[in-house]
Amino acid sequence: IKPKMAKKGALRTLSFILILSRVISCPNDCSFKGMCNIYNQCECFEGFTDADCSRRICPSGPAWTAPAIATDMGHQEKECSNAGLCNRKLGTCECFPGFVGSSCQRLACPASTEGVECNGHGKCLSMENHAKERPNHGIVSYGADGLSTLSHISFLVDDDIQAELGSTETETRNWYQYNEIWDAPMVHGCVCDFPWTGYDCSYRECPRGD
């Protein structure tokens, strides 16, 4: 190849690249958070969105409220669980009052003025975990609707529980597994320590008699 021909070829290639760079141009150069494709559209990196990839995506969770998409099908994944606003600069959810979590995915338990959940006299549990706190010794009963979503799990009772029940023989007991409902891990409430009671564990129980 002659030097002059090689030089002309290099100039043509450079000209083509310059023309192509002008033709393929994305908004704001995709904010350096994405790649510009041949259709002049930004393909954003993970965690970013918008035409120029300038805004962050927030965590998602099952929507507290959303239109049904089919019979008995709803609560699809939505940013901030449709219970908060997404801070597009930070990529974090700013939850509406009463909702907490990275994606506003759970109800907040009642708290003291200092912000201590259940006033420090109980545990803030989801319905799923609350069910595990309620062993069934044949005393607890549920209606037909409840039984359709509650499954029984059997396990051996440990020594401490045997002593509490006044039994010296190996026995089993049941507790309830409640995890098939969409909001089982989302709805929370206070489970109070004795002798505290009330929805926020702020009251003491009084002595009882027959």
Side-chain angles (χ1 to χ4, degrees), residues 11 16-17 37 44-46 63 75 84 89 100 112 134 137-138 158 160 169 172 177 190 199-200 203 209:
L11 289 173
F16 177 77
I17 293 173
N37 63 27
C44 301
F45 299 147
E46 186 176 358
H75 306 288
K89 290 184 178 180
V100 294
S112 65
R134 295 297 300 272
H137 299 299
D158 59 30
D160 291 337
E169 297 180 1
T172 61
Q177 183 171 305
C190 291
Y199 79 102
D200 60 352
Y203 299 96

Side-chain angles (χ1 to χ4, degrees), residues 21 44 90 105 161 185 209:
S21 66
C44 301
L90 301 176
Q105 76 277 14
I161 298 176

Side-chain angles (χ1 to χ4, degrees), residues 3-202:
K4 288 186 178 181
M5 294 179 63
K7 187 175 181 180
K8 287 182 179 179
L11 289 173
R12 287 174 183 168
T13 301
L14 180 61
S15 299
F16 177 77
I17 293 173
L18 290 173
I19 292 171
L20 190 63
S21 66
R22 290 186 178 182
V23 173
I24 300 178
S25 177
C26 280
N28 199 26
D29 289 327
C30 300
S31 306
F32 303 103
K33 296 179 176 66
M35 301 292 292
C36 187
N37 63 27
I38 60 174
Y39 304 106
N40 295 342
Q41 297 174 332
C42 289
E43 296 179 358
C44 301
F45 299 147
E46 186 176 358
F48 295 91
T49 186
D50 218 351
D52 62 352
C53 304
S54 61
R55 302 198 301 169
R56 289 183 177 271
I57 296 174
C58 282
S60 298
W64 287 98
T65 57
I69 58 175
T71 302
D72 293 331
M73 291 185 65
H75 306 288
Q76 55 271 28
E77 294 277 318
K78 294 292 183 180
E79 273 188 317
C80 304
S81 305
N82 276 358
L85 300 177
C86 179
N87 185 322
R88 295 295 178 188
K89 290 184 178 180
L90 301 176
T92 56
C93 292
E94 298 173 354
C95 302
F96 299 145
F99 297 90
V100 294
S102 61
S103 60
C104 309
Q105 76 277 14
R106 76 173 183 90
L107 289 180
C109 278
S112 65
T113 53
E114 293 79 18
V116 180
E117 286 185 323
C118 304
N119 285 282
H121 301 308
K123 294 179 289 187
C124 181
L125 297 179
S126 66
M127 292 192 296
E128 180 179 3
N129 287 329
H130 191 185
K132 297 176 183 178
E133 295 274 318
R134 295 297 300 272
N136 179 18
H137 299 299
I139 301 173
V140 180
S141 60
Y142 295 86
D145 291 339
L147 287 174
S148 65
T149 57
L150 289 167
S151 57
H152 296 69
I153 306 295
S154 297
F155 61 95
L156 290 176
V157 178
D158 59 30
D159 294 338
D160 291 337
I161 298 176
Q162 285 184 19
E164 180 182 342
L165 297 175
S167 172
T168 57
E169 297 180 1
T170 301
E171 59 181 302
T172 61
R173 67 170 181 171
N174 294 320
W175 54 275
Y176 288 98
Q177 183 171 305
Y178 185 85
N179 58 8
E180 298 176 4
I181 304 301
W182 71 272
D183 60 354
M186 299 169 67
V187 175
H188 283 61
C190 291
V191 178
C192 303
D193 300 328
F194 182 81
W196 299 92
T197 188
Y199 79 102
D200 60 352
C201 303
S202 62

